[in-house]
Structures are given as structure tokens and as C-alpha cells.
Amino acid sequence: MKIRTRYAPSPTGKMHVGNLRSALYEFLVAKHDGGDFMLRIEDTDQERFVEGAVELINRTLAQTGLIYDEGPDKDGGVGPYVQSERVKTGIYMKYAKELIEKGEAYYCFCDKERLASLKTEVVEGKEICMYDKHCLGLSKEEVEANLAAGKPYVIRQNIPNEGTTTFVDELYGEITVDNAELDDMILIKSDGYPTYNFANVVDDHTMNITHVVRGNEYISSSPKYQRLYDAFGWKSPVYIHLPLITDENHKKLSKRSGHSSFEDLMEQGFVAEAVVNYIALLGWSPEDNREIFSLEELIKEFDYHRISKSPAVFDIVKLRWMNGEYIKAMDFDSFYEKAEVYLKKALTKDFDLKKIANMVKTRIEVFPDIPELVDFFEELPEYSPEMYTHKKMKTNSETSLQVLRDMLPILEAQEDYSNDGLYATLTKYVEEKGVKNGYVMWPIRTAVSGKQMTPAGATEIMEIIGKDETLRRIRKGIELLEQA
Ligand code: GLU
């Protein structure tokens, strides 16, 4: 049997990292086995609908390479693929009525006031109001009369108070709950729309979904879904409920972290491929300790049996590292295309930006790291003369002052300001003095950059800033050391 999975987002705003992981795992479960991956838009909650959210979903899937085989714009014969359009076909009402016929569901006419008067219980910290089956007691005639009078109604699932219900999750195994704990949940709302709880079952079945991958917040409702499958005589899909994603403090990853959505990460300069790679590892790991995977490689390696049940910690430091690995591996042109705006943020003078881009490519983790790394080319920062002292290089303010004083006339006379030309001049001095390279390079680099760490060596920097600026900076260094 061909595996068919679906990503079923509700268009309610940003693409949360957890949603993207569900989409990715659904995609991988299908593609690992040569199956089909489908996009279904779950927009039955009209109040939570956010303008533009569907476009965002489409854009994100395209950007991350999660190309679906079927979806709103790719008919595979089981559409429509948007729930609000499915409502119009009458499919949910038809199945809800079938359940009523079977005694597995019933009309409920209770108004807000009555529902508010029902007693609530606190279950797992949440206030739960269990419906008291009041309307299950209505006679057929009473129901008919209410319907004929146009009284607003919902349709509820009828769950017995006795017995238990069992469903199977691939990772958690068999889960059995007491029916008494299961609320008679609403299947069809008073606006005629199905709830998620009902629509997911009808749709997954009628769209021939074989594997459902979703967050484990749905585990507690799954027994109710199982009862619906059983009532219809349908085979339920394979369920794979994913572990929670937490922040560094082991709290559910939320907006407060500042990086809970794909858009946040894009704005912060991450590369989509790196984000996909990182998210793949939020709950799944390969047999070896390998960490870098292209999407193609993930498809090959992904085995859902290796998904973990323990919460996955979203570690932004790790993601930054991984992003840096992706940047290192990028070809130069694609890198430059993205790096240019960040270079231009810090550099307005007439520099060879491509040369500078080459220097930073292996030294950044995200693109916004660039300006801080290169701003010294534009302007020499204020720096402390203590920076001239370096134990390993055996330099201090006196040796450095000597080197700068010796080098100044040599560099004034120097015509060739290419990296190679400058390097030859500097090493010639090194040899004459019989000192180590760093003894000369360290003070020169300090003088021309004003920084402890630079993306390039002294002579590369001098080539970029040119003769006049080099001499100005060397003189400045001499001045600084003379006053120290
Ligand atoms: N619309 C649900 C959500 O966005 C889908 C859950 C599921 O995959 O079944 O959370």
C-alpha cells in the first residue's frame, strides 16, 4: 500500500517551528517510502482565520523544499483540499447524520447559559466542562420539532460513560482511557462547520491518509477519533505523535523565545536549508551521530521508528553553528547574493566587497554577523594600546612601537599595495630582524584594524583599505603607543 501523508495546517498566523516539523516529518515519512505528501488547509475555525496565512504556508513549503504531490492547486482526485470548500460539498453533515443514525452522535440544542451552568473540572491544569448528555434524552419528536422551529444546534459525539477506548500510537504504543473521561465533543458547530475533531477523521479517511504525524497535544483527543473510526467501520491511520519542542529553559517553545517561527528565523538571517536540517533533528536522530543532512539525504535516512518521545530542546546556539556550516558550504555567488546587503550596511566606501565577502564566508554563523565583523574597514575603531601586548607573539607596547616606527617609512616608500607585495615587504623585515612572523604581523594588524580578531591578516587588510589609510592608521598606532 502506498503511504499517503498530509500536512494539515490551520491558517492562523505564523509558521511555528512545531508546525514546520510536522510538515517535514509528514513529508519525510511519505517520501522515504516513495509515497505521496498532501497539503490540506484546515480553515474551519473562522474566528481564528488570519488573512495571508495560507500564502505564508505556501511560501514556507516552497522555500523549505517540502513540495506536495496533492493540494489546493494540485488535484489528486480526493479534493477539495481546503476544508471550507469541503463543507460546501456537504460531506461532514452527511457523515455526522450517519453517526446520528447509528446512535454514535446526537443533536444538542443547549444554549450558552445552560452550558455555562454545567460544572467544570480541572484536568491537567485545564478547566474542562464535561457535557452532561442532557440532549441525548430528547425524544425523536422533540428533536424534529426543534429542528423544524429552526432552533440553533450542534451535533455531539455520543461516548458511553462506561468502558474504555484504546488506540495505538507508533511511538507510545497502546493507549487506553476510561470513556468516562471523554467528553461528548462537538462534531458539527452551530454555524454548520465541522470542528477539527470531526473534520480530521472524515478527511483523513476520505483522502486515504495512511499515516498521521502531529504534535502530541492531540494524543488526549485521539481516543475520541478512534471511536469515530470504529463507529464508521473505518481503519484508522498509523498515528505518530511528536514530542514537545521546548526552549532552553525546558518550557514550551513560545513567541517569547524570539525564534519560535520560521519567519523569525528567516528575519534573523538563517538559511532555509539549515533550518530544515536542524528541525529534522528536533525529535529524530539517525543511527550514527551525523548531523548535517540535505533534504535528499533526510529522505533517504529518515526512519520514523527512531523518533524520540522525550521533549526536544530548541537550541539556538546549535542552530547558529549548523547555519555556519551551511554558509561555509555555499558556492560563492549564492553567498555573495545574500551577503551583499549586510556588507553594505557597514561599508559605504569604495571597497572590493567580493574580496571582503570571501574573507567572512567561513567566519560567520548567520548573515547579520557580517557588519560587526567588517566595520573596521570603514573606520578604525577606538582601541586600547594594551591590545599590542600578546604573550604568544612576544609583543608588548615597546616592541610594537619599534616595529611600527621601522615600518612606517618602508610602507610610505612602498608602491605595490597588493597583498603579495605587502607580505613580501613585511617578511623581508622579519628576516632582517631575525624575529618570528607574529612579532611584526601582530602590531601591524592591530594598528590597521584596531581589533583583536579580524577576518583577515594584516596585509590583506592593508590591500583593502589602501596606502593612504594604512599609513594614517600606522601613524595613529604610533601616536597611541607613544602616549601609553
Ligand atoms: N489543523 C491542525 C493544526 O494545525 C492539524 C493537526 C493535525 O495534523 O491533525 O494543528
Side-chain angles (χ1 to χ4, degrees):
M1 193 177 54
K2 199 173 193 186
I3 287 189
R4 285 172 63 80
T5 62
R6 87 297 193 275
Y7 174 46
S10 305
T12 53
K14 289 188 172 181
M15 176 75 98
H16 190 272
V17 163
N19 292 131
L20 185 54
R21 182 188 57 175
S22 295
L24 175 61
Y25 284 16
E26 296 260 11
F27 174 83
L28 294 174
V29 167
K31 294 297 151 191
H32 180 70
D33 250 281
D36 287 336
F37 170 62
M38 169 200 298
L39 172 66
R40 180 173 76 222
I41 301 294
E42 305 210 319
D43 61 346
T44 56
D45 197 342
Q46 301 281 302
E47 276 163 32
R48 289 178 62 220
F49 183 82
V50 169
E51 206 62 53
V54 173
E55 291 71 19
L56 190 84
I57 290 164
N58 287 327
R59 214 179 322 130
T60 307
L61 292 179
Q63 232 175 321
T64 50
L66 306 184
I67 308 300
Y68 48 84
D69 303 289
E70 294 175 30
D73 54 349
K74 259 193 206 171
D75 189 15
V78 295
Y81 293 80
V82 179
Q83 282 182 336
S84 59
E85 286 169 31
R86 294 175 75 76
V87 170
K88 292 182 199 139
T89 68
I91 184 171
Y92 305 113
M93 201 49 118
K94 178 186 121 193
Y95 282 116
K97 285 191 174 151
E98 192 178 315
L99 288 176
I100 294 176
E101 292 292 313
K102 293 184 151 130
E104 296 284 343
Y106 58 93
Y107 289 104
C108 171
F109 300 95
C110 290
D111 55 21
K112 269 206 200 100
E113 287 69 39
R114 172 151 205 290
L115 292 176
S117 73
L118 294 175
K119 56 172 200 297
T120 56
E121 269 177 60
V122 180
V123 180
E124 285 171 11
K126 268 195 232 156
E127 275 219 344
I128 304 262
C129 172
M130 297 278 275
Y131 184 64
D132 62 356
K133 288 185 179 288
H134 174 78
C135 287
L136 185 61
L138 296 177
S139 68
K140 216 172 166 164
E141 292 70 35
E142 283 170 304
V143 170
E144 296 290 325
N146 280 344
L147 290 177
K151 218 171 161 186
Y153 67 86
V154 299
I155 298 178
R156 286 184 186 274
Q157 185 176 10
N158 182 18
I159 301 178
N161 286 329
E162 304 79 40
T164 58
T165 301
T166 299
F167 85 101
V168 182
D169 176 274
E170 276 299 294
L171 309 172
Y172 294 81
E174 264 190 19
I175 296 182
T176 300
V177 297
D178 286 330
N179 291 339
E181 282 172 22
L182 302 177
D183 184 35
D184 280 3
M185 64 176 183
I186 294 174
L187 305 177
I188 301 281
K189 295 179 280 186
S190 56
D191 61 5
Y193 275 64
T195 54
Y196 162 76
N197 291 325
F198 188 45
N200 89 90
V201 171
V202 170
D203 290 346
D204 285 340
H205 173 74
T206 55
M207 298 170 108
N208 308 321
I209 296 303
T210 60
H211 292 63
V212 166
V213 186
R214 62 186 169 207
N216 66 9
E217 67 269 27
Y218 290 100
I219 277 201
S220 59
S221 314
S222 293
K224 302 184 206 175
Y225 310 151
Q226 187 60 50
R227 295 191 63 83
L228 293 173
Y229 280 101
D230 293 345
F232 284 120
W234 296 341
K235 186 172 175 296
S236 57
V238 173
Y239 286 116
I240 301 164
H241 286 98
L242 305 178
L244 187 71
I245 301 176
T246 75
D247 60 19
E248 285 88 344
N249 304 317
H250 303 281
K251 300 252 161 57
K252 191 176 167 170
L253 184 65
S254 73
K255 269 194 201 137
R256 222 170 323 142
S257 72
H259 47 254
S260 63
S261 74
F262 182 70
E263 294 77 71
D264 291 342
L265 295 170
M266 288 299 104
E267 273 165 31
Q268 288 161 27
F270 287 93
V271 177
E273 289 86 349
V275 172
V276 169
N277 186 159
Y278 183 69
I279 286 181
L281 300 175
L282 286 177
W284 173 83
S285 57
E287 249 171 271
D288 48 16
N289 286 329
R290 185 173 162 200
E291 293 183 304
I292 304 289
F293 290 92
S294 68
L295 191 57
E296 283 306 312
E297 290 164 338
L298 283 172
I299 291 174
K300 204 157 149 260
E301 301 298 328
F302 194 82
D303 171 3
Y304 68 74
H305 297 97
R306 293 189 57 84
I307 295 173
S308 158
K309 282 184 282 188
S310 351
V313 181
F314 190 102
D315 179 355
I316 192 81
V317 175
K318 181 85 185 274
L319 172 57
R320 283 181 61 98
W321 165 79
M322 190 172 275
N323 202 70
E325 295 302 302
Y326 272 79
I327 290 179
K328 279 184 203 141
M330 266 175 141
D331 68 79
F332 182 76
D333 288 344
S334 330
F335 171 76
Y336 187 73
E337 205 178 293
K338 289 216 163 96
E340 196 177 8
V341 302
Y342 294 99
L343 288 165
K344 286 187 171 164
K345 266 187 196 165
L347 307 173
T348 61
K349 294 182 185 158
D350 190 20
F351 292 118
D352 184 341
L353 290 186
K354 291 213 165 153
K355 224 172 219 164
I356 297 178
N358 224 347
M359 292 173 179
V360 298
K361 188 166 179 282
T362 55
R363 289 181 166 82
I364 58 167
E365 291 185 321
V366 291
F367 287 97
D369 288 347
I370 292 177
E372 217 195 314
L373 206 56
V374 302
D375 55 6
F376 71 90
F377 284 116
E378 181 86 1
E379 201 161 346
L380 182 70
E382 295 267 335
Y383 67 97
S384 154
E386 279 161 29
M387 270 168 50
Y388 284 99
T389 302
H390 194 294
K391 234 177 161 183
K392 226 176 106 203
M393 309 288 179
K394 296 202 166 53
T395 64
N396 58 39
S397 38
E398 274 139 49
T399 67
S400 298
L401 183 57
Q402 191 57 53
V403 168
L404 294 189
R405 277 181 176 158
D406 287 353
M407 284 312 300
L408 183 61
I410 301 174
L411 291 170
E412 280 170 340
Q414 171 106 4
E415 289 301 332
D416 177 6
Y417 260 70
S418 70
N419 179 25
D420 290 346
L422 289 160
Y423 195 78
T425 303
L426 260 63
T427 41
K428 188 162 163 255
Y429 175 81
V430 165
E431 276 157 29
E432 282 168 11
K433 293 279 155 183
V435 291
K436 285 256 168 67
N437 239 334
Y439 186 86
V440 174
M441 297 299 176
W442 181 264
I444 298 280
R445 192 176 60 101
T446 302
V448 296
S449 70
K451 288 216 175 182
Q452 207 115 36
M453 307 257 268
T454 55
T459 52
E460 290 169 280
I461 295 169
M462 289 151 86
E463 179 188 66
I464 297 276
I465 60 177
K467 183 169 179 177
D468 290 351
E469 183 64 11
T470 297
L471 296 177
R472 195 183 71 81
R473 291 185 184 192
I474 299 276
R475 286 186 197 115
K476 187 98 201 251
I478 292 172
E479 213 176 283
L480 198 65
L481 285 166
E482 280 172 348
Q483 289 162 6

